[in-house]
Amino acid sequence: MAGTHGGGGLFQFVTIRLLPPMLRFETAGESHGECLIATLTGLPAGVPVSLEAVDRELWRRQQGYGRGGRMKIESDHAEIVAGVRHSHTIGAPIGILIHNRDWKNWSEALAVEDSGGAEDKRKPLTRPRPGHADLAGAIKYDFHDARYILERASARETAARVAAGALAKALLGEFGIAVLSHVVAVGSARLERPAEWDEIAALSRKGEILLGCVDAEAEARMKEVVDEAYRTGDTAGGVFEVVAHGVPPGLGSHAAWDGRLDGRLAQAIVSIQAVKGVEIGFAAEGAASFGSKVQDTIHYHREERRFTRGANRAGGLEGGITNGQDVVLRGFLKPISTLRRPLESVDLATREPALAAYERSDVCAVPAAGVVAEAMTALVLAQAFLEKFGGDSLRETRRNFLGYLEQVKSF
Ligand SMILES: Cc1cc2nc3c(=O)[nH]c(=O)nc-3n(C[C@H](O)[C@H](O)[C@H](O)COP(=O)(O)O)c2cc1C
């Protein structure tokens, strides 16, 4: 994607860097505002879109043992208002609204026009909660009430990401790529074995979600951790794993730091609220092992005329390029910051010590974070996919994709 400005050298280099990605998305909306908004620009025309499939993803994000009362109020529904007609994308920017059902209780606190009402009607938050954006954001944006900060920093925003991600999944699905997640740890309770793709797929079809673990015994231990957090007024974190299945080799690039898909996926995962670390493949285990035990050996299947690998410890990425194996990422969530038994803080008005504010809150959100991470992974993979195969229409993208598969076959 070279720039259209003439000249070469540094100027052209800068132009290339400033071009936006072919597929891009943004979200807007406050946690208790009228609605959340997502825009997604760059999907080719002709991608089939099912509102039911988008709502199913939104439902999955709302599930899990340990979610707060809000999840019972909100039953999210995506309203697509632009870019999709007669169940297909039309190549125009897509606009999605998700209404907040709680808005009626907040229309005064978060009114768009100031009608000069009493200060306390704004539901001010002056005792910032440790582990939230409250204090850093209040200082940065010069508010002595952290309400506007927490409204936007809240993970409620991730509903909009999930809706956009559902459309990225729809594109990827046309090419046999699926992105799903499962929970591998809640607190100290861990899944002690690898999960098979079929198990993860079966989990995603369930009508009831406890902690999103493929193993009932491990899930029961995870539940005990959440129960303990409930009993003690505390919260729990954990680890989710995202697996992208059916990914072709060759997405992303080793050639430039910002083209490396491992880096782009890591950024996408860590951008999720409360995710403090990411692991690609078996990174932590690998760092403690010798190289001979870590690298995935290379083999060749003559009849099928394709390369195979001894294992997938690299998580499907080598040199920042997909290698044709499943892409496997893990996200590490800190425990939820808002505690029923609040931590020490300071009142922004009086500067006196005070206990942090409490707002209705989740105790554990690891399965939901996994669903958000699926969306982020799907969006980044769809970006890399369109960078490689392009196309203004799905038919054109498919032609380019199939041509590349032929090339790979005869490599
Ligand atoms: C799906 C999901 C739900 C969350 N729910 C809550 C919640 O109910 N209460 C809370 O204090 N934090 C919750 N968080 C985490 C906060 O949004 C996050 O910790 C906070 O915005 C500060 O950002 P940081 O932890 O990334 O620094 C949730 C995170 C995710 C991914």
Side-chain angles (χ1 to χ4, degrees):
M1 282 222 301
T4 50
H5 304 269
L10 182 64
F11 182 59
Q12 194 170 16
F13 176 76
V14 170
T15 318
I16 291 167
R17 287 288 166 261
L18 291 180
L19 279 175
M22 290 173 76
L23 180 72
R24 52 193 193 277
F25 85 102
E26 282 194 340
T27 72
E30 286 78 48
S31 180
H32 298 98
E34 299 88 314
C35 61
L36 295 161
I37 300 168
T39 60
L40 180 65
T41 304
L43 272 188
V47 177
V49 174
S50 147
L51 282 175
E52 196 184 325
V54 179
D55 281 355
R56 168 77 188 173
E57 294 297 283
L58 292 174
W59 177 83
R60 290 179 63 228
R61 191 201 73 93
Q62 295 189 283
Q63 304 310 301
Y65 187 65
R67 304 306 302 280
R70 176 125 195 225
M71 289 306 112
K72 291 172 193 116
I73 301 173
E74 308 280 357
S75 172
D76 286 333
H77 167 63
E79 212 178 300
I80 299 186
V81 294
V84 176
R85 302 292 161 192
H86 305 115
S87 304
H88 287 85
T89 56
I90 60 168
I94 295 166
I96 310 173
L97 302 184
I98 303 165
H99 287 277
N100 285 327
R101 298 196 197 280
D102 209 14
W103 166 240
K104 58 182 179 304
N105 300 317
W106 288 81
S107 51
E108 217 172 347
L110 293 174
V112 172
E113 269 196 303
D114 191 1
S115 52
E119 280 289 306
D120 62 339
K121 291 243 167 83
R122 296 185 181 189
K123 306 194 186 182
L125 191 142
T126 58
R127 290 169 288 124
R129 300 158 303 164
H132 271 285
D134 299 359
L135 180 59
I139 293 170
K140 177 175 165 68
Y141 291 92
D142 199 19
F143 294 129
H144 288 249
D145 160 11
R147 169 60 58 197
Y148 299 141
I149 304 300
L150 79 103
E151 284 293 329
R152 181 61 190 158
S154 157
R156 174 84 191 123
E157 181 260 351
T158 60
R161 299 197 203 194
V162 167
L167 301 191
K169 282 187 174 190
L171 171 79
L172 296 173
E174 288 297 304
F175 300 95
I177 304 168
V179 185
L180 291 173
S181 68
H182 64 114
V183 171
V184 296
V186 171
S188 59
R190 302 190 66 82
L191 172 69
E192 302 287 0
R193 64 172 179 85
E196 300 295 326
W197 172 256
D198 288 346
E199 291 179 295
I200 304 171
L203 189 71
S204 75
R205 292 190 290 268
K206 279 173 81 168
E208 221 173 299
I209 293 164
L210 187 64
L211 281 156
C213 181
V214 296
D215 184 286
E217 184 273 330
E219 195 170 52
R221 283 188 283 111
M222 292 174 182
K223 180 174 177 290
E224 280 171 24
V225 172
V226 181
D227 282 334
E228 184 180 343
Y230 269 125
R231 263 198 314 276
T232 54
D234 219 318
T235 58
V239 185
F240 59 76
E241 183 172 88
V242 179
V243 182
H245 191 65
V247 182
L251 303 187
S253 170
H254 65 291
W257 72 269
D258 52 355
R260 289 187 59 120
L261 199 59
D262 46 8
R264 292 162 65 182
L265 286 164
Q267 202 264 327
I269 300 294
V270 176
S271 78
I272 300 168
Q273 293 84 338
V275 175
K276 294 293 131 188
V278 63
E279 182 178 33
I280 297 174
F282 290 90
E285 207 178 298
S289 310
F290 286 110
S292 57
K293 301 275 179 286
V294 172
Q295 316 307 341
D296 303 320
T297 50
I298 301 176
H299 310 274
Y300 190 68
H301 197 298
R302 285 205 177 273
E303 287 79 59
E304 293 178 12
R305 289 176 50 208
R306 65 182 183 90
F307 292 93
T308 63
R309 311 302 292 258
N312 184 18
R313 289 182 285 251
L317 287 152
E318 287 170 304
I321 312 173
T322 56
N323 64 11
Q325 302 221 74
D326 284 356
V327 171
V328 183
L329 311 160
R330 266 176 234 108
F332 293 71
L333 245 87
K334 72 179 183 186
I336 296 287
S337 315
T338 308
L339 300 179
R340 195 157 41 79
R341 199 161 37 95
L343 297 171
E344 285 174 34
S345 182
V346 168
D347 191 292
L348 291 180
T350 64
R351 309 293 157 117
E352 291 296 326
L355 289 177
Y358 177 76
E359 297 245 320
R360 188 179 45 205
S361 183
D362 298 331
V363 164
C364 173
V366 187
V371 176
V372 179
E374 290 173 29
M376 293 306 292
T377 302
L379 284 157
V380 172
L381 287 179
Q383 247 172 17
F385 192 91
L386 291 173
E387 274 161 22
K388 178 143 182 62
F389 301 114
D392 293 308
S393 69
L394 186 62
R395 199 149 72 91
E396 189 181 0
T397 310
R398 195 184 303 285
R399 203 175 60 221
N400 297 342
F401 176 70
L402 292 176
Y404 173 72
L405 286 194
E406 277 306 309
Q407 177 191 316
V408 170
K409 239 192 214 161
S410 59
F411 168 81

